[in-house]
Amino acid sequence: MSLKAGIVGLPNVGKSTLFNAITKKNILAANYPFATIEPNVGMVTVPDERLAFLENMYLPKSVVPTTFEFTDIAGLVKGASHGEGLGNKFLSHIRETDAIVEVVRCFDDENITHVEGKTDPIRDIEIINVELILADLEIIENRLNKIIKKAETTKDKEALLEVKALTKAKTSLEQNIPLRLVDFTDEEKDVLGSFNFITIKPIIYAANVLEDDMVIGDNDYTKLVKEYASKEKSGVIVMCCKMESELAELSDDDKKVFLEELGIANSGLDKLIFATYDLLGLQTFFTAGADECRAWTFRKGMNAKSCAGLIHSDIERGFIKAEVMSFDDLKELGSELKVKEAGKLRLEGKDYLMQDGDIVYFRFNV
């Protein structure tokens, strides 16, 4: 399952520094606007202690963690929806993502240029959100101009539904309400899905602070961001992008020691990865054996047959049954044999809704 999260924000707020930490790649992180011109793409490994446990139990030839894609997109400026800065180029890149991570500067530093002159996280958020709203509005207005007459003349049901959905979206955007906060019907969602609107994508704010603030806790800026995010039911992760970039250079053991010395349980990066994974409504199932232990990403609510298709279309097409045990049962009982003896290895049909932590063997015949 190919999934993408886009890292966005104003220039010089820490996007590329965060991207360096995520992918451990040395992407240019310069102190001037538009240091990132083309979107930088990296695959992110989702930390999962369960996979390490399976590796130790099965001693497989290979281990494959679950991943998804993070894209670092060039800094947005006021007027982007009308072509300012990188304008439409930026907006086209963000339309290709499944979720948005908006990096917000929550610290003062006279040595790092702020494109708007001074630190003001709410102003920065609203600059970006307004530009995204304007970009979606432009698409809606262009489409409505083409279809309204046809819908009124022909009374075509599909055309009328499209006009209704787009008009509802337009009204919300004109009131400065992003589409992700609008209560659309399932039919309306189907209609709007083809337009790939930016403001319908789920969003999480990464509040970028100085290292000292990571130890102290929230500062005045992060409190404002959390208050803003709570009103639109979005998440906030407070992190120091510079520190995360430095942590990425350490071994896992050294990283653990460093965090313990600071009194921090988990790195901001790990929190962001988990939060983004959850934001997209994703869970993990496993396949395990002597050849390979592998984590597979699936969306909450997918059934066994659809999840089989994530491995291979032939397995989905020839699906017979799924042998399923939960990771928690395996860990508690200590072996597959003891899980079977306890009657906790189940045979499930195609409509079984997969659960996070399921360990599965798919029976199929093509």
Side-chain angles (χ1 to χ4, degrees):
M1 179 178 287
S2 178
L3 294 152
K4 299 179 182 180
I7 304 174
V8 304
L10 292 175
N12 299 341
V13 297
K15 301 182 315 303
S16 293
T17 304
L18 173 60
F19 183 79
N20 290 347
I22 287 175
T23 62
K24 299 184 181 179
K25 292 182 180 179
N26 188 26
I27 301 302
L28 175 64
N31 183 27
Y32 57 88
F34 312 126
T36 308
I37 303 241
E38 293 296 336
N40 300 296
V41 179
M43 296 305 295
V44 178
T45 297
V46 180
D48 198 324
E49 294 180 353
R50 296 173 297 183
L51 189 61
F53 179 91
L54 293 176
E55 180 182 7
N56 290 331
M57 174 174 284
Y58 288 94
L59 302 175
K61 296 174 184 176
S62 67
V63 178
V64 184
T66 186
T67 62
F68 64 91
E69 193 174 288
F70 266 103
T71 303
D72 177 29
I73 301 171
L76 180 63
V77 295
K78 193 181 294 183
S81 58
H82 301 294
E84 294 296 324
L86 294 174
N88 293 330
K89 191 170 188 179
F90 168 94
L91 296 168
S92 67
H93 292 320
I94 196 173
R95 287 192 191 284
E96 296 168 5
T97 65
D98 299 298
I100 299 170
V101 176
E102 186 171 327
V103 182
V104 185
R105 179 167 162 174
C106 291
F107 64 88
D108 295 313
D109 188 336
E110 62 184 17
N111 295 315
I112 300 179
T113 304
H114 194 296
V115 72
E116 290 294 322
K118 66 176 183 178
T119 305
D120 184 342
I122 303 306
R123 175 207 58 209
D124 294 355
I125 289 172
E126 290 181 342
I127 286 174
I128 289 181
N129 289 355
V130 165
E131 292 304 324
L132 301 185
I133 283 173
L134 291 173
D136 281 351
L137 266 175
E138 183 179 2
I139 288 178
I140 290 173
E141 289 168 352
N142 288 340
R143 179 59 180 167
L144 283 174
N145 288 337
K146 293 179 181 178
I147 197 173
I148 282 181
K149 284 187 178 180
K150 175 188 174 183
E152 291 176 346
T153 302
T154 65
K155 303 299 180 182
D156 179 78
K157 287 184 178 180
E158 290 185 4
L160 288 170
L161 176 60
E162 184 175 347
V163 169
K164 179 186 174 185
L166 290 174
T167 302
K168 183 175 178 178
K170 181 174 182 288
T171 300
S172 298
L173 293 174
E174 288 174 338
Q175 295 172 357
N176 207 32
I177 300 172
L179 299 183
R180 62 180 172 273
L181 300 181
V182 182
D183 186 19
F184 292 110
T185 65
D186 290 340
E187 282 186 331
E188 290 168 342
K189 288 177 183 177
D190 289 341
V191 170
L192 299 176
S194 62
F195 293 96
N196 211 12
F197 289 123
I198 299 173
T199 65
I200 210 165
K201 301 177 189 297
I203 190 168
I204 188 167
Y205 296 101
N208 185 18
V209 301
L210 298 175
E211 187 172 318
D212 289 345
D213 288 325
M214 285 299 299
V215 179
I216 297 170
D218 283 327
N219 61 30
D220 291 340
Y221 294 136
T222 60
K223 290 175 183 176
L224 290 172
V225 174
K226 286 185 175 181
E227 182 181 348
Y228 183 96
S230 67
K231 292 177 182 177
E232 61 170 37
K233 300 177 182 178
S234 296
V236 178
I237 298 296
V238 177
M239 62 193 308
C240 174
C241 294
K242 183 175 182 293
M243 185 176 79
E244 296 298 330
S245 186
E246 293 168 352
L247 282 172
E249 301 300 322
L250 302 178
S251 67
D252 289 342
D253 289 340
D254 288 343
K255 176 182 171 181
K256 185 177 180 181
V257 170
F258 182 83
L259 290 173
E260 286 176 351
E261 288 177 351
L262 291 176
I264 300 173
N266 294 301
S267 72
L269 177 55
D270 284 349
K271 291 177 183 176
L272 180 63
I273 291 173
F274 287 132
T276 308
Y277 196 71
D278 186 62
L279 183 70
L280 290 169
L282 305 178
Q283 293 182 326
T284 303
F285 74 86
F286 301 93
T287 50
D291 287 333
E292 179 185 83
C293 286
R294 181 163 182 164
W296 299 87
T297 300
F298 70 100
R299 291 193 184 277
K300 294 177 185 178
M302 287 180 66
N303 62 32
K305 186 176 180 181
S306 296
C307 285
L310 298 176
I311 299 175
H312 199 285
S313 58
D314 283 349
I315 302 178
E316 180 177 16
R317 183 162 54 90
F319 180 94
I320 300 173
K321 290 285 184 181
E323 293 182 8
V324 184
M325 60 180 166
S326 75
F327 172 82
D328 289 341
D329 287 340
L330 179 64
K331 184 177 181 180
E332 179 186 346
L333 297 171
S335 71
E336 276 191 32
L337 178 60
K338 289 182 178 178
V339 171
K340 290 178 183 177
E341 290 174 345
K344 294 189 175 182
L345 179 67
R346 313 183 310 274
L347 276 180
E348 301 287 1
K350 62 182 181 179
D351 295 326
Y352 167 71
L353 296 181
M354 294 287 284
Q355 301 298 309
D356 185 57
D358 278 347
I359 303 169
V360 190
Y361 172 76
F362 291 105
R363 297 182 184 178
F364 70 102
N365 183 38
V366 177

